[in-house]
Amino acid sequence: MRGLWISTAALALAGCASTYDTVGTASVAPAIPAVTQSMPAQMASMDPNDSILFWSDERRSAAFRDMEGLFPGLEVAPANPVRELPRSAAVLPAALQGDIRAYMADTHAAGLMVLKDGQVVFEDYGLGFGPEGRWTSFSVAKSFTSTLLGAAIADGAIESVDTPVTAIVPALAGTAYDGVTVGQVATMTSGVAWNEDYTDPDSDVAKMLAITPVAGESQAVTYARTLKREAPAGSKWVYKTLETNLLGLIVEQATGKSLAAYAAEKIVEPAGFAGGLFWMQDLTGGNIGGCCLSLRLSDYARMGQFALEGGKGVVPDGWFATAGSPLVDFAPEAPGFGYGYQWWTYPGATYGAQGIFGQAITIVPEERLVVAVVSNWETATSRANREGFRALVGRIGAALDD
């Protein structure tokens, strides 16, 4: 899908494939972490004018480490067994460690972890955060939802990325998503018009979770009914969080499980998460596919390692190689950058998950490297901060080059 007309606004914030073969199932089913309902004593407002996007730095910093205290969601218990992350004998140069810590201080990072060959080379924390705390993901959750799409294809619950979305979610018939495939939703190339401006209380992204619920209908479908098409399906890329929410609904409808329950089986247990996860729900009780997981920093890194190792037995063979490739190529506007199945792609065959306010998992397959960071940036997006992080990843990779 190279050469697509790319939304300028979406670029500033920073279908497509064939059917995959299914994978075999293990003869003995692994343990699945328990999933329980979590409800706050008092739910935070969903009013777009009081959105978390517009909270003060202090209010955000408190919220990012305690989303379960503000919003309803599903709690997944830790894996059994937890994947150990041993300390590496490799040591980053002192000057580079100093530069990493300076970057963390400058960008209000709460934690940064580096894995080389699955071993911890660097780990540090800020903002009063620590190894056993959990931090919200924002759009890093999109890459988790994409992984669950791969798992659903492997399980045979979804035939392929070429399946029409209306075949799985009939309620989308007659909306702007009629005639769109699962793969086009996964690559955000549906051709549906959308406003993802995080500074505008009247934007789609600010309003979508506040829309009045309709009985028996997902909030994502209700908001989708308000949207119009601006381009033929598959011809234009625009970054749209609603599309990941719809992708999550597609996975839930196809598997008959909540995203959290499916993640317990397909991510938390096989990746060996130490702190489990919390996944926020919308006003109709569905997990929000495009946002709002809460994890330990080490579990963000474990997710990156899981992807780096290919997700064997969970997703189809080669899934991450495809999902993390530039199915949408941003050249010539941004050479070397692109978008796959809910993963951003970067120069040098590198890919990653990223979310507003400075959350990221970056994977460098050639270097067998994973770098995870969680933050509370002063603004939702920052090109300078994002470029600074990519530059650090490059320096870390060079310092650890075999």
Side-chain angles (χ1 to χ4, degrees):
M1 300 200 58
R2 300 177 187 276
L4 289 173
W5 175 30
I6 301 166
S7 161
T8 302
L11 273 177
L13 300 178
C16 302
S18 60
T19 304
Y20 289 87
D21 294 332
T22 58
V23 295
T25 56
S27 57
V28 178
I32 299 174
V35 180
T36 55
Q37 180 69 54
S38 173
M39 293 293 294
Q42 183 173 355
M43 182 173 165
S45 171
M46 298 299 288
D47 185 333
N49 291 299
D50 191 36
S51 166
I52 201 167
L53 295 169
F54 311 113
W55 288 0
S56 68
D57 177 86
E58 182 179 5
R59 191 178 177 191
R60 286 197 317 269
S61 185
F64 288 1
R65 70 191 78 206
D66 185 31
M67 294 293 273
E68 57 268 45
L70 299 170
F71 301 100
L74 293 177
E75 181 74 41
V76 180
N80 184 20
V82 169
R83 175 173 180 158
E84 297 300 325
L85 297 177
R87 295 285 164 177
S88 173
V91 178
L92 293 177
L96 179 53
Q97 292 190 48
D99 289 346
I100 294 171
R101 292 187 173 96
Y103 172 84
M104 291 177 65
D106 290 344
T107 61
H108 299 193
L112 191 149
M113 178 177 283
V114 177
L115 301 183
K116 171 77 170 184
D117 294 322
Q119 298 183 332
V120 178
V121 176
F122 180 91
E123 177 182 7
D124 203 4
Y125 296 89
L127 307 185
F129 191 59
E132 295 186 359
R134 296 194 302 193
W135 199 267
T136 195
S137 65
F138 291 101
S139 290
V140 169
K142 291 179 168 67
S143 302
F144 283 67
T145 299
S146 163
T147 300
L148 296 180
L149 168 64
I153 292 173
D155 283 348
I158 296 174
E159 183 178 355
S160 81
V161 292
D162 300 319
T163 301
V165 296
T166 52
I168 303 172
V169 185
L172 289 172
T175 72
Y177 286 92
D178 208 337
V180 174
T181 68
V182 171
Q184 288 163 345
V185 169
T187 53
M188 300 192 182
T189 58
S190 66
V192 175
W194 181 261
N195 178 357
E196 187 91 4
D197 185 349
Y198 301 118
T199 66
D200 180 6
D202 197 44
S203 66
D204 292 307
V205 73
K207 296 188 300 183
M208 65 178 179
L209 294 178
I211 194 167
T212 302
V214 173
E217 181 173 275
S218 164
Q219 229 178 340
V221 171
T222 303
Y223 201 86
R225 294 188 187 283
T226 71
L227 303 177
K228 299 186 182 302
R229 177 173 298 286
E230 64 176 352
S235 68
K236 181 179 181 179
W237 181 85
V238 176
Y239 189 76
K240 301 185 275 295
T241 292
L242 180 76
E243 304 220 313
T244 324
N245 294 353
L246 290 173
L247 192 65
L249 176 63
I250 288 165
V251 170
E252 289 186 332
Q253 295 276 74
T255 62
K257 300 176 182 179
S258 68
L259 290 182
Y262 203 44
E265 176 184 352
K266 301 297 183 179
I267 296 177
V268 173
E269 183 64 23
F273 282 11
L277 65 80
F278 167 82
W279 204 327
M280 185 176 156
Q281 294 168 302
D282 66 16
L283 296 178
T284 53
N287 284 130
I288 302 170
C291 180
C292 308
L293 288 165
S294 293
L295 303 170
R296 291 185 183 183
L297 175 65
S298 65
D299 289 335
Y300 283 104
R302 286 182 177 90
M303 177 60 178
Q305 191 67 28
F306 178 69
L308 178 64
E309 294 173 356
K312 185 174 177 59
V314 172
V315 295
D317 290 344
W319 173 261
F320 287 108
T322 299
S325 68
L327 300 172
V328 179
D329 192 336
F330 292 170
E333 291 89 346
F337 294 85
Y339 200 71
Y341 291 141
Q342 307 282 304
W343 292 90
W344 297 86
T345 66
Y346 315 120
T350 297
Y351 67 101
Q354 62 185 54
I356 57 173
F357 294 107
Q359 328 313 324
I361 305 169
T362 298
I363 300 163
V364 188
E366 289 188 359
E367 300 289 345
R368 308 180 308 283
L369 183 71
V370 173
V371 184
V373 65
V374 293
S375 315
N376 179 25
W377 288 354
E378 292 181 347
T379 56
T381 62
S382 169
R383 179 169 294 180
N385 289 354
R386 199 66 78 186
E387 289 177 349
F389 180 67
R390 284 196 295 270
L392 275 182
V393 171
R395 291 178 60 195
I396 291 166
L400 297 173
D401 190 5
D402 295 332

